[in-house]
Amino acid sequence: MATELRVEHLTAGYGMLEIVRDINFTVRTGQRIGLLGRNGAGKSTTLAAVVGLAQRQQGTITLNGQDISTKPTYRRARAGISLVPQARDIFPSLTVEENLLAGLNGRPSREALEFAFGMFPRLRDRRANGGSQLSGGEQQMLAVARALVGQPQILLLDEPLEGLAPQIRDELMDTIIQMTTRTGIGCLLIEQDVDVVLGFADQVLVLENGRCLYAGTSEALRKSPEILEQTIGLGKVQ
Ligand SMILES: Nc1ncnc2c1ncn2[C@@H]1O[C@H](COP(=O)(O)OP(=O)(O)OP(=O)(O)O)[C@@H](O)[C@H]1O
Ligand SMILES: [Mg+2]
């Protein structure tokens, strides 16, 4: 069954503090969305609000037409929305496999674990290693793989490539693309590199100071790089 996450007129922040205002987007099964914006624009806050980790002040968040905006975070996760946060949040004292099992929400599934190892063979090789013994890239893979074993319908990735060397970035991005294609999962990716976002996403949102400055197709943005230049100075699209 197709899944649809719909965010309408979302205004959100921390307590009374408003960070993002009037944000609108939809992520459906098989769809890839990119979220761009300068540091501090409100990208992470937007996703945090979607999963209930930041305060929704106005607007609605629905999953398949059901309002989820007042549900606690774990209920949103069970309903099929998974966030890989910008802080990798892996458990350093647990092994790779234990970290992955922690992503199963109490629903053990060998199949899901094997699928994650299939997507990230490096993690299979290191399944008995402690989380703290992994490189930055491996930790990032583990964070994505852990979300994957929960078999979400909608996957929200907050800068999964941050801080990684170019070759590892390419490798992880290829895996993310393969994974979304194979699972048909709906995916929203936050990433600073415009070319990566345009190569990944069908639809793109650009945030600046908590407002949405652009929402449209990657194709249209590719043809109008001046939108990026004028708004957030993200530079020319190659
Ligand atoms: N827990 C918090 N409490 C109060 N303000 C916060 C909190 N987290 C973030 N902010 C503020 O909200 C604003 C937006 O932050 P956010 O992390 O959403 O930006 P971002 O677009 O993800 O930036 P980056 O590219 O650096 O990750 C910033 O001004 C930040 O200081
Ligand atoms: Mg962020």
PDB file of all heavy atoms in Angstrom, residues 4-11 21-26 50 56-62 65 69:
ATOM      1  N   GLU A   4       1.784   8.022   2.415  1.00  0.00           N
ATOM      2  CA  GLU A   4       1.986   9.451   2.162  1.00  0.00           C
ATOM      3  C   GLU A   4       2.123  10.227   3.475  1.00  0.00           C
ATOM      4  O   GLU A   4       1.224  10.191   4.314  1.00  0.00           O
ATOM      5  CB  GLU A   4       0.812  10.015   1.364  1.00  0.00           C
ATOM      6  CG  GLU A   4       0.977  11.487   1.065  1.00  0.00           C
ATOM      7  CD  GLU A   4      -0.233  12.071   0.354  1.00  0.00           C
ATOM      8  OE1 GLU A   4      -1.205  12.439   1.049  1.00  0.00           O
ATOM      9  OE2 GLU A   4      -0.204  12.144  -0.880  1.00  0.00           O
ATOM     10  N   LEU A   5       3.264  10.886   3.604  1.00  0.00           N
ATOM     11  CA  LEU A   5       3.462  11.817   4.725  1.00  0.00           C
ATOM     12  C   LEU A   5       3.195  13.217   4.182  1.00  0.00           C
ATOM     13  O   LEU A   5       3.803  13.627   3.185  1.00  0.00           O
ATOM     14  CB  LEU A   5       4.909  11.723   5.230  1.00  0.00           C
ATOM     15  CG  LEU A   5       5.347  12.827   6.201  1.00  0.00           C
ATOM     16  CD1 LEU A   5       4.638  12.694   7.544  1.00  0.00           C
ATOM     17  CD2 LEU A   5       6.859  12.795   6.406  1.00  0.00           C
ATOM     18  N   ARG A   6       2.282  13.907   4.832  1.00  0.00           N
ATOM     19  CA  ARG A   6       1.926  15.244   4.346  1.00  0.00           C
ATOM     20  C   ARG A   6       2.119  16.270   5.475  1.00  0.00           C
ATOM     21  O   ARG A   6       1.569  16.104   6.566  1.00  0.00           O
ATOM     22  CB  ARG A   6       0.469  15.229   3.883  1.00  0.00           C
ATOM     23  CG  ARG A   6       0.006  16.502   3.206  1.00  0.00           C
ATOM     24  CD  ARG A   6      -1.444  16.345   2.779  1.00  0.00           C
ATOM     25  NE  ARG A   6      -1.570  15.598   1.552  1.00  0.00           N
ATOM     26  CZ  ARG A   6      -1.632  16.156   0.343  1.00  0.00           C
ATOM     27  NH1 ARG A   6      -1.606  17.456   0.217  1.00  0.00           N
ATOM     28  NH2 ARG A   6      -1.743  15.403  -0.732  1.00  0.00           N
ATOM     29  N   VAL A   7       2.910  17.268   5.184  1.00  0.00           N
ATOM     30  CA  VAL A   7       3.179  18.329   6.152  1.00  0.00           C
ATOM     31  C   VAL A   7       2.581  19.612   5.589  1.00  0.00           C
ATOM     32  O   VAL A   7       2.919  20.014   4.475  1.00  0.00           O
ATOM     33  CB  VAL A   7       4.708  18.472   6.360  1.00  0.00           C
ATOM     34  CG1 VAL A   7       5.048  19.696   7.192  1.00  0.00           C
ATOM     35  CG2 VAL A   7       5.280  17.212   6.999  1.00  0.00           C
ATOM     36  N   GLU A   8       1.654  20.199   6.342  1.00  0.00           N
ATOM     37  CA  GLU A   8       0.973  21.388   5.826  1.00  0.00           C
ATOM     38  C   GLU A   8       1.046  22.541   6.810  1.00  0.00           C
ATOM     39  O   GLU A   8       0.700  22.393   7.981  1.00  0.00           O
ATOM     40  CB  GLU A   8      -0.502  21.064   5.525  1.00  0.00           C
ATOM     41  CG  GLU A   8      -0.644  20.184   4.282  1.00  0.00           C
ATOM     42  CD  GLU A   8      -2.082  19.737   4.048  1.00  0.00           C
ATOM     43  OE1 GLU A   8      -2.654  19.102   4.941  1.00  0.00           O
ATOM     44  OE2 GLU A   8      -2.611  20.029   2.967  1.00  0.00           O
ATOM     45  N   HIS A   9       1.519  23.656   6.292  1.00  0.00           N
ATOM     46  CA  HIS A   9       1.585  24.915   7.068  1.00  0.00           C
ATOM     47  C   HIS A   9       2.243  24.701   8.432  1.00  0.00           C
ATOM     48  O   HIS A   9       1.767  25.214   9.441  1.00  0.00           O
ATOM     49  CB  HIS A   9       0.185  25.514   7.233  1.00  0.00           C
ATOM     50  CG  HIS A   9      -0.515  25.711   5.926  1.00  0.00           C
ATOM     51  ND1 HIS A   9      -0.051  26.581   4.965  1.00  0.00           N
ATOM     52  CD2 HIS A   9      -1.618  25.117   5.405  1.00  0.00           C
ATOM     53  CE1 HIS A   9      -0.840  26.526   3.905  1.00  0.00           C
ATOM     54  NE2 HIS A   9      -1.795  25.634   4.137  1.00  0.00           N
ATOM     55  N   LEU A  10       3.321  23.947   8.423  1.00  0.00           N
ATOM     56  CA  LEU A  10       3.985  23.627   9.689  1.00  0.00           C
ATOM     57  C   LEU A  10       4.818  24.811  10.198  1.00  0.00           C
ATOM     58  O   LEU A  10       5.716  25.301   9.512  1.00  0.00           O
ATOM     59  CB  LEU A  10       4.902  22.406   9.513  1.00  0.00           C
ATOM     60  CG  LEU A  10       5.747  22.037  10.734  1.00  0.00           C
ATOM     61  CD1 LEU A  10       4.876  21.506  11.869  1.00  0.00           C
ATOM     62  CD2 LEU A  10       6.813  21.006  10.363  1.00  0.00           C
ATOM     63  N   THR A  11       4.484  25.243  11.390  1.00  0.00           N
ATOM     64  CA  THR A  11       5.296  26.219  12.105  1.00  0.00           C
ATOM     65  C   THR A  11       5.780  25.491  13.356  1.00  0.00           C
ATOM     66  O   THR A  11       4.982  24.844  14.039  1.00  0.00           O
ATOM     67  CB  THR A  11       4.464  27.471  12.461  1.00  0.00           C
ATOM     68  OG1 THR A  11       4.111  28.123  11.232  1.00  0.00           O
ATOM     69  CG2 THR A  11       5.233  28.441  13.333  1.00  0.00           C
ATOM     70  N   ARG A  21       8.575  28.386   9.747  1.00  0.00           N
ATOM     71  CA  ARG A  21       7.201  28.862   9.596  1.00  0.00           C
ATOM     72  C   ARG A  21       6.626  28.454   8.250  1.00  0.00           C
ATOM     73  O   ARG A  21       7.283  28.557   7.228  1.00  0.00           O
ATOM     74  CB  ARG A  21       7.195  30.392   9.707  1.00  0.00           C
ATOM     75  CG  ARG A  21       5.851  31.044   9.372  1.00  0.00           C
ATOM     76  CD  ARG A  21       5.886  32.518   9.627  1.00  0.00           C
ATOM     77  NE  ARG A  21       5.690  32.743  11.045  1.00  0.00           N
ATOM     78  CZ  ARG A  21       4.525  33.129  11.578  1.00  0.00           C
ATOM     79  NH1 ARG A  21       3.483  33.335  10.808  1.00  0.00           N
ATOM     80  NH2 ARG A  21       4.413  33.304  12.869  1.00  0.00           N
ATOM     81  N   ASP A  22       5.416  27.955   8.307  1.00  0.00           N
ATOM     82  CA  ASP A  22       4.606  27.666   7.118  1.00  0.00           C
ATOM     83  C   ASP A  22       5.334  26.767   6.099  1.00  0.00           C
ATOM     84  O   ASP A  22       5.491  27.130   4.939  1.00  0.00           O
ATOM     85  CB  ASP A  22       4.169  28.973   6.451  1.00  0.00           C
ATOM     86  CG  ASP A  22       2.990  28.755   5.507  1.00  0.00           C
ATOM     87  OD1 ASP A  22       2.302  27.718   5.640  1.00  0.00           O
ATOM     88  OD2 ASP A  22       2.776  29.603   4.627  1.00  0.00           O
ATOM     89  N   ILE A  23       5.796  25.631   6.575  1.00  0.00           N
ATOM     90  CA  ILE A  23       6.496  24.679   5.706  1.00  0.00           C
ATOM     91  C   ILE A  23       5.484  23.649   5.172  1.00  0.00           C
ATOM     92  O   ILE A  23       4.667  23.125   5.926  1.00  0.00           O
ATOM     93  CB  ILE A  23       7.597  23.923   6.498  1.00  0.00           C
ATOM     94  CG1 ILE A  23       8.552  24.905   7.195  1.00  0.00           C
ATOM     95  CG2 ILE A  23       8.349  22.938   5.592  1.00  0.00           C
ATOM     96  CD1 ILE A  23       9.352  25.783   6.282  1.00  0.00           C
ATOM     97  N   ASN A  24       5.574  23.388   3.882  1.00  0.00           N
ATOM     98  CA  ASN A  24       4.647  22.444   3.232  1.00  0.00           C
ATOM     99  C   ASN A  24       5.433  21.469   2.367  1.00  0.00           C
ATOM    100  O   ASN A  24       6.249  21.897   1.549  1.00  0.00           O
ATOM    101  CB  ASN A  24       3.682  23.192   2.308  1.00  0.00           C
ATOM    102  CG  ASN A  24       2.809  24.147   3.072  1.00  0.00           C
ATOM    103  OD1 ASN A  24       1.803  23.753   3.657  1.00  0.00           O
ATOM    104  ND2 ASN A  24       3.202  25.412   3.107  1.00  0.00           N
ATOM    105  N   PHE A  25       5.219  20.187   2.576  1.00  0.00           N
ATOM    106  CA  PHE A  25       5.771  19.200   1.643  1.00  0.00           C
ATOM    107  C   PHE A  25       5.067  17.861   1.835  1.00  0.00           C
ATOM    108  O   PHE A  25       4.392  17.634   2.854  1.00  0.00           O
ATOM    109  CB  PHE A  25       7.296  19.037   1.801  1.00  0.00           C
ATOM    110  CG  PHE A  25       7.749  18.499   3.125  1.00  0.00           C
ATOM    111  CD1 PHE A  25       7.847  17.127   3.345  1.00  0.00           C
ATOM    112  CD2 PHE A  25       8.101  19.361   4.155  1.00  0.00           C
ATOM    113  CE1 PHE A  25       8.277  16.634   4.573  1.00  0.00           C
ATOM    114  CE2 PHE A  25       8.535  18.878   5.385  1.00  0.00           C
ATOM    115  CZ  PHE A  25       8.620  17.512   5.593  1.00  0.00           C
ATOM    116  N   THR A  26       5.226  17.023   0.821  1.00  0.00           N
ATOM    117  CA  THR A  26       4.643  15.686   0.872  1.00  0.00           C
ATOM    118  C   THR A  26       5.717  14.694   0.464  1.00  0.00           C
ATOM    119  O   THR A  26       6.480  14.969  -0.460  1.00  0.00           O
ATOM    120  CB  THR A  26       3.461  15.589  -0.120  1.00  0.00           C
ATOM    121  OG1 THR A  26       2.537  16.620   0.206  1.00  0.00           O
ATOM    122  CG2 THR A  26       2.762  14.258  -0.053  1.00  0.00           C
ATOM    123  N   VAL A  50       8.592  16.852  12.566  1.00  0.00           N
ATOM    124  CA  VAL A  50       7.816  15.788  11.908  1.00  0.00           C
ATOM    125  C   VAL A  50       7.768  14.530  12.786  1.00  0.00           C
ATOM    126  O   VAL A  50       6.744  13.862  12.861  1.00  0.00           O
ATOM    127  CB  VAL A  50       8.402  15.463  10.510  1.00  0.00           C
ATOM    128  CG1 VAL A  50       7.796  14.200   9.932  1.00  0.00           C
ATOM    129  CG2 VAL A  50       8.185  16.630   9.560  1.00  0.00           C
ATOM    130  N   ARG A  56       5.631  21.287  17.450  1.00  0.00           N
ATOM    131  CA  ARG A  56       4.769  21.815  16.373  1.00  0.00           C
ATOM    132  C   ARG A  56       3.923  22.918  16.992  1.00  0.00           C
ATOM    133  O   ARG A  56       3.269  22.696  17.997  1.00  0.00           O
ATOM    134  CB  ARG A  56       3.859  20.718  15.822  1.00  0.00           C
ATOM    135  CG  ARG A  56       2.867  21.224  14.780  1.00  0.00           C
ATOM    136  CD  ARG A  56       1.814  20.175  14.518  1.00  0.00           C
ATOM    137  NE  ARG A  56       1.084  19.856  15.742  1.00  0.00           N
ATOM    138  CZ  ARG A  56      -0.155  20.275  16.005  1.00  0.00           C
ATOM    139  NH1 ARG A  56      -0.793  20.997  15.140  1.00  0.00           N
ATOM    140  NH2 ARG A  56      -0.739  19.935  17.133  1.00  0.00           N
ATOM    141  N   GLN A  57       3.996  24.102  16.407  1.00  0.00           N
ATOM    142  CA  GLN A  57       3.219  25.222  16.961  1.00  0.00           C
ATOM    143  C   GLN A  57       1.945  25.474  16.169  1.00  0.00           C
ATOM    144  O   GLN A  57       0.921  25.854  16.716  1.00  0.00           O
ATOM    145  CB  GLN A  57       4.107  26.473  17.031  1.00  0.00           C
ATOM    146  CG  GLN A  57       5.232  26.281  18.068  1.00  0.00           C
ATOM    147  CD  GLN A  57       6.469  27.100  17.805  1.00  0.00           C
ATOM    148  OE1 GLN A  57       6.664  27.617  16.700  1.00  0.00           O
ATOM    149  NE2 GLN A  57       7.340  27.205  18.791  1.00  0.00           N
ATOM    150  N   GLN A  58       2.035  25.255  14.857  1.00  0.00           N
ATOM    151  CA  GLN A  58       0.847  25.343  13.999  1.00  0.00           C
ATOM    152  C   GLN A  58       1.013  24.373  12.856  1.00  0.00           C
ATOM    153  O   GLN A  58       2.119  23.927  12.560  1.00  0.00           O
ATOM    154  CB  GLN A  58       0.718  26.747  13.410  1.00  0.00           C
ATOM    155  CG  GLN A  58       0.155  27.768  14.375  1.00  0.00           C
ATOM    156  CD  GLN A  58       0.062  29.130  13.713  1.00  0.00           C
ATOM    157  OE1 GLN A  58      -0.548  29.270  12.655  1.00  0.00           O
ATOM    158  NE2 GLN A  58       0.679  30.122  14.329  1.00  0.00           N
ATOM    159  N   GLY A  59      -0.105  24.092  12.179  1.00  0.00           N
ATOM    160  CA  GLY A  59      -0.054  23.248  10.991  1.00  0.00           C
ATOM    161  C   GLY A  59      -0.376  21.802  11.304  1.00  0.00           C
ATOM    162  O   GLY A  59      -0.615  21.436  12.461  1.00  0.00           O
ATOM    163  N   THR A  60      -0.379  20.992  10.254  1.00  0.00           N
ATOM    164  CA  THR A  60      -0.737  19.583  10.438  1.00  0.00           C
ATOM    165  C   THR A  60       0.315  18.659   9.839  1.00  0.00           C
ATOM    166  O   THR A  60       1.000  19.008   8.874  1.00  0.00           O
ATOM    167  CB  THR A  60      -2.090  19.240   9.756  1.00  0.00           C
ATOM    168  OG1 THR A  60      -1.999  19.618   8.387  1.00  0.00           O
ATOM    169  CG2 THR A  60      -3.250  19.956  10.403  1.00  0.00           C
ATOM    170  N   ILE A  61       0.426  17.481  10.437  1.00  0.00           N
ATOM    171  CA  ILE A  61       1.309  16.422   9.930  1.00  0.00           C
ATOM    172  C   ILE A  61       0.434  15.179   9.853  1.00  0.00           C
ATOM    173  O   ILE A  61      -0.085  14.717  10.875  1.00  0.00           O
ATOM    174  CB  ILE A  61       2.483  16.168  10.899  1.00  0.00           C
ATOM    175  CG1 ILE A  61       3.258  17.478  11.161  1.00  0.00           C
ATOM    176  CG2 ILE A  61       3.425  15.097  10.346  1.00  0.00           C
ATOM    177  CD1 ILE A  61       4.189  17.406  12.356  1.00  0.00           C
ATOM    178  N   THR A  62       0.246  14.670   8.649  1.00  0.00           N
ATOM    179  CA  THR A  62      -0.597  13.476   8.523  1.00  0.00           C
ATOM    180  C   THR A  62       0.175  12.358   7.826  1.00  0.00           C
ATOM    181  O   THR A  62       1.045  12.598   6.995  1.00  0.00           O
ATOM    182  CB  THR A  62      -1.886  13.758   7.714  1.00  0.00           C
ATOM    183  OG1 THR A  62      -1.524  14.222   6.414  1.00  0.00           O
ATOM    184  CG2 THR A  62      -2.775  14.784   8.388  1.00  0.00           C
ATOM    185  N   GLY A  65      -3.371  10.308   5.676  1.00  0.00           N
ATOM    186  CA  GLY A  65      -4.594  11.019   6.043  1.00  0.00           C
ATOM    187  C   GLY A  65      -4.875  11.076   7.538  1.00  0.00           C
ATOM    188  O   GLY A  65      -5.759  11.806   7.964  1.00  0.00           O
ATOM    189  N   SER A  69       0.199  14.493  14.413  1.00  0.00           N
ATOM    190  CA  SER A  69       0.987  15.594  14.974  1.00  0.00           C
ATOM    191  C   SER A  69       0.947  15.682  16.496  1.00  0.00           C
ATOM    192  O   SER A  69       1.745  16.398  17.081  1.00  0.00           O
ATOM    193  CB  SER A  69       0.585  16.921  14.342  1.00  0.00           C
ATOM    194  OG  SER A  69      -0.793  17.096  14.452  1.00  0.00           O
TER     195      SER A  69
END
